[in-house]
Amino acid sequence: MKIAYIMYPGACYLGAGDGQKMQAEIWLKELERKGHQVDRINPWGHYDWKSYDVIHVFGFGLWNYDMIHWGSGINSNFVFSPIIDTNMPMWKYRLATYFGCSKLRLYTQNYALRRLKPDIKLFFARSEYEANYLHHGYGIEKNKIAIVPLSYRETNYDPTVKKEPFCLFAGTMTQPRKNVPRLIEAAKKYGFPLKLVGNTGNTESEAHLRALVNNVPGIEILGFVSDDELSSLYNRAKVFALPSINEGVGLVALEAALCGCNIVITSLGGPKEYYEKGTVELVNPYNIDNIGKAVLKALEDTTAQPQLRNTIIKKYNVSACVDKLIGYYQQIHT
């Protein structure tokens, strides 16, 4: 098949750590390995839109309304991964999709997506949780929603590396939904070592993070690290924590689990669907004590692994997940 991938504009400044870009890259490389042609659409390029078997759009916003509505008149094989990371009550979310008026050209992104329903053949969700927002929030028919789990990236797992008693976080520290300030407070209150990896934002936001740490021994802000350094941290860390206020999947937690980490993860949203009951510590992300006690428990736990790692390898390997994706692509192409 010949496939076009269109990424939302914000991915250009959020970098390689952006989850939506990461998801698309994982699928794209595996599709190419399986013999399909995948073009990364560049605004400066020129394309024969009729030549594509599938046009896959990632990330929603006002930017894609005109593009999809116009483009579907040339090639009707548009599919969409809107990436919905929210804990908003469903009734509020549904109400927000009606805020707009096409005759007056007044659009919100939720309203625009509701209007795009006829122009999109298939919507992709990463979890049942996300699929429910598509169905109940936007009124999309269930037969137009496909669930394809997000697959992990290959990690440099080294079982010979001895685990060290510290908790690791990886992600964009400045995003409020990642809940890093509460994780820092939990580390301070319960005295566990914590290493923070990822984007610290601008000078002001990094200074704010360092002020929260306040030079407490054992809490380190490492910022961006190389892939090799991240693999080393995954292999050494006893615990990986992702106590997000909202999260779609939490790919970094899957990667950490593959490297033998015990996982502390938010009880909200879709991430918990990726783990068998009892193999991870689920936490209320608004409760510092809950986070702190869960990390301490995970630091002592010797039962979660290697069952956790083996389950993830079986269910979320890239070949199996992309085979599901290809099956859906073929359905709309034929």
Side-chain angles (χ1 to χ4, degrees):
M1 285 186 291
K2 184 179 179 183
I3 305 159
Y5 268 23
I6 303 176
M7 182 57 56
Y8 81 110
C12 69
Y13 63 81
L14 289 173
D18 177 65
Q20 298 179 52
K21 183 188 292 183
M22 199 178 296
Q23 173 181 342
E25 286 283 357
I26 291 170
W27 287 353
L28 184 153
K29 290 176 181 177
E30 183 63 12
L31 285 165
E32 290 179 335
R33 192 187 71 80
K34 291 178 180 288
H36 301 281
Q37 177 183 335
V38 186
D39 292 345
R40 298 170 175 86
I41 300 303
N42 182 336
W44 295 93
H46 301 280
Y47 303 95
D48 177 8
W49 294 106
K50 293 181 181 179
S51 70
Y52 290 106
D53 300 307
V54 178
I55 301 172
H56 195 148
V57 179
F58 293 83
F60 78 104
L62 294 177
W63 67 276
N64 57 30
Y65 178 78
D66 285 337
M67 182 197 69
I68 295 176
H69 187 60
W70 167 83
S72 64
I74 300 173
N75 185 330
S76 64
N77 291 331
F78 270 83
V79 300
F80 194 23
S81 291
I83 317 294
I84 299 171
D85 296 336
T86 185
N87 291 325
M88 183 183 291
M90 189 64 73
W91 70 268
K92 288 185 178 180
Y93 204 87
R94 186 184 305 113
L95 183 62
T97 69
Y98 290 98
F99 288 167
C101 178
S102 58
K103 291 183 179 179
L104 296 176
R105 296 190 62 80
L106 297 175
Y107 293 89
T108 62
Q109 63 181 17
N110 287 316
Y111 174 76
L113 181 52
R114 178 176 282 278
R115 296 279 301 177
L116 277 173
K117 285 190 297 179
D119 301 319
I120 296 169
K121 281 196 172 178
L122 201 59
F123 292 80
F124 285 100
R126 302 161 296 171
S127 63
E128 290 282 355
Y129 181 87
E130 190 172 27
N132 282 334
Y133 272 91
L134 288 171
H135 177 57
H136 296 291
Y138 293 101
I140 297 165
E141 298 87 349
K142 287 187 176 181
N143 63 0
K144 290 187 68 174
I145 301 171
I147 298 177
V148 177
L150 184 58
S151 54
Y152 58 80
R153 297 180 301 174
E154 290 297 329
T155 59
N156 295 320
Y157 175 54
D158 187 348
T160 66
V161 175
K162 185 177 179 180
K163 287 294 183 182
E164 300 174 22
F166 69 85
C167 177
L168 177 66
F169 167 89
T172 304
M173 296 179 224
T174 55
Q175 287 185 353
R177 71 184 183 90
K178 294 295 185 181
N179 207 26
V180 171
R182 286 191 181 92
L183 181 58
I184 291 172
E185 291 303 320
K188 289 160 68 174
K189 183 172 183 178
Y190 287 87
F192 57 83
L194 175 64
K195 298 183 188 295
L196 301 165
V197 170
N199 189 349
T200 58
N202 57 28
T203 303
E204 182 180 354
S205 60
E206 182 173 352
H208 176 66
L209 285 168
R210 295 195 180 280
L212 286 176
V213 173
N214 197 26
N215 296 317
V216 171
I219 304 179
E220 300 177 74
I221 299 176
L222 302 179
F224 281 115
V225 298
S226 68
D227 286 344
D228 287 343
E229 289 174 302
L230 182 57
S231 292
S232 174
L233 288 164
Y234 279 155
N235 280 304
R236 290 160 45 211
K238 175 69 174 181
V239 174
F240 185 91
L242 194 66
S244 307
I245 292 169
N246 63 70
E247 189 75 54
V249 172
L251 178 61
V252 285
L254 286 177
E255 293 177 352
L258 283 169
C259 289
C261 295
N262 289 338
I263 303 300
V264 173
I265 200 162
T266 179
S267 63
L268 304 181
K272 59 182 177 291
E273 293 182 29
Y274 281 69
Y275 305 95
E276 291 183 347
K277 186 176 181 180
T279 60
V280 299
E281 294 294 326
L282 299 177
V283 297
N284 175 356
Y286 295 100
N287 190 311
I288 290 170
D289 291 318
N290 193 200
I291 295 169
K293 290 175 182 178
V295 171
L296 290 182
K297 183 179 178 182
L299 284 168
E300 297 297 325
D301 183 26
T302 59
T303 63
Q305 293 284 5
Q307 177 188 345
L308 175 57
R309 181 174 190 273
N310 292 336
T311 300
I312 290 171
I313 290 173
K314 181 180 179 180
K315 294 177 69 174
Y316 304 117
N317 70 82
V318 66
S319 181
C321 292
V322 170
D323 281 344
K324 289 184 180 180
L325 182 70
I326 291 169
Y328 287 119
Y329 283 169
Q330 289 173 337
Q331 284 181 24
I332 70 156
H333 169 54
T334 55

